[in-house]
Amino acid sequence: RKEVEQDPGPFNVPEGATVAFNCTYSNSASQSFFWYRQDCRKEPKLLMSVYSSGNEDGRFTAQLNRASQYISLLIRDSKLSDSATYLCVVIGNNNDMRFGAGTRLTVKP
Amino acid sequence: GAVVSQHPSWVICKSGTSVKIECRSLDFQATTMFWYRQFPKQSLMLMATSNEGSKATYEQGVEKDKFLINHASLTLSTLTVTSAHPEDSSFYICSASGLGSGNTIYFGEGSWLTVV
């Protein structure tokens, strides 16, 4: 089993749709969680951190479920510019960093 | 905000030669730096983790003698691909975290390596 697993995708959604991604992790001692966005041929950029209490930033909501060991990202009112690959990142108790394989999102007009 | 700069962005080298990629944290002390490789249409793969002043910890399957990592200061880490071959052609990215990064990991812009 991979240490971090994401929805396989790709997700193709119309503008304005709501889309959700999940990411599961195997190390129960993991400490920090993030969602990154990566555009084609570019480096990943931090989208948002994920906190136990959940956090929201505009159209984006991230949640952490420690009991079930997964994090989620919800995007509301999708825009064309949201098209990208979304990576979940999990930091373990040894400061090791693990990526999910990424979920590709394409928002269409 | 915190910035990580990577250089060069693009490099083409001949098979058998060595290439050095630099990763700098511009306004924070990068106590930990990570090096990744990404092949087309694949996810980032962690190659090694380096802590300032210590030897890098390599992931399983990554040859430490081929991919030399140096993290001699709190603002600079280098990755040297020695005796590069065409199969080493890839997108290499570094990331860093540490004092002043707000507990966030920031990525360099990445370096495209093509070995011909």
Side-chain angles (χ1 to χ4, degrees), chain B residues 14 18 20-21 25 43-44 48 62 67 82 87 90 98 101 103 114:
Chain B
K14 290 185 177 180
S18 296
K20 180 184 284 188
I21 301 170
S25 59
S43 179
L44 290 168
V62 179
F67 299 98
T82 63
E87 57 265 31
S90 184
S101 75
N103 200 34
T114 301

Side-chain angles (χ1 to χ4, degrees), chain A residues 17-32:
Chain A
T18 295
V19 61
F21 308 137
N22 283 329
C23 174
T24 59
Y25 59 95
S26 60
N27 182 1
S28 60
S30 297
Q31 297 184 336
S32 304

Side-chain angles (χ1 to χ4, degrees), chain B residues 15-56:
Chain B
S15 186
T17 61
S18 296
V19 175
K20 180 184 284 188
I21 301 170
E22 293 186 349
C23 180
R24 293 180 184 274
S25 59
L26 299 186
D27 54 3
F28 69 97
Q29 295 179 328
T31 50
T32 305
M33 284 188 167
F34 305 88
W35 285 96
Y36 313 84
R37 180 168 53 183
Q38 186 176 32
F39 293 108
K41 298 189 177 183
Q42 294 187 26
S43 179
L44 290 168
M45 296 297 295
L46 180 65
M47 298 176 68
T49 302
S50 73
N51 294 299
E52 185 265 338
S54 303
K55 288 185 178 180

Side-chain angles (χ1 to χ4, degrees), chain A residues 89-104:
Chain A
V89 176
V90 176
I91 312 295
N93 51 323
N94 294 321
N95 205 31
D96 53 309
M97 187 176 180
R98 296 286 180 252
F99 283 86
T103 300
R104 175 125 184 92

Side-chain angles (χ1 to χ4, degrees), chain A residues 1 6 11 13 26 28 32 52 55 64 71 74-75 100 108:
Chain A
R1 181 187 173 189
Q6 286 188 242
F11 286 71
V13 303
S26 60
S28 60
S32 304
S52 297
N55 48 308
L64 165 64
I71 63 174
L74 180 77
I75 305 175
K108 299 184 175 180

Side-chain angles (χ1 to χ4, degrees), chain A residues 3 32 34 36 38 41-46 49 87 89 91 95-102, chain B residues 10 32 34 36 38 43-44 46 49 51 59 91 93 95 103-110 112:
Chain A
E3 293 185 55
S32 304
F34 305 90
Y36 280 78
Q38 185 176 27
R41 293 175 171 260
K42 297 282 184 67
E43 78 279 13
K45 294 190 176 178
L46 179 66
S49 303
L87 303 167
V89 176
I91 312 295
N95 205 31
D96 53 309
M97 187 176 180
R98 296 286 180 252
F99 283 86
Chain B
W10 300 84
T32 305
F34 305 88
Y36 313 84
Q38 186 176 32
S43 179
L44 290 168
L46 180 65
T49 302
N51 294 299
E59 295 296 299
F91 187 47
I93 310 179
S95 68
N103 200 34
T104 299
I105 296 172
Y106 291 92
F107 285 83
E109 304 95 328
W112 287 97

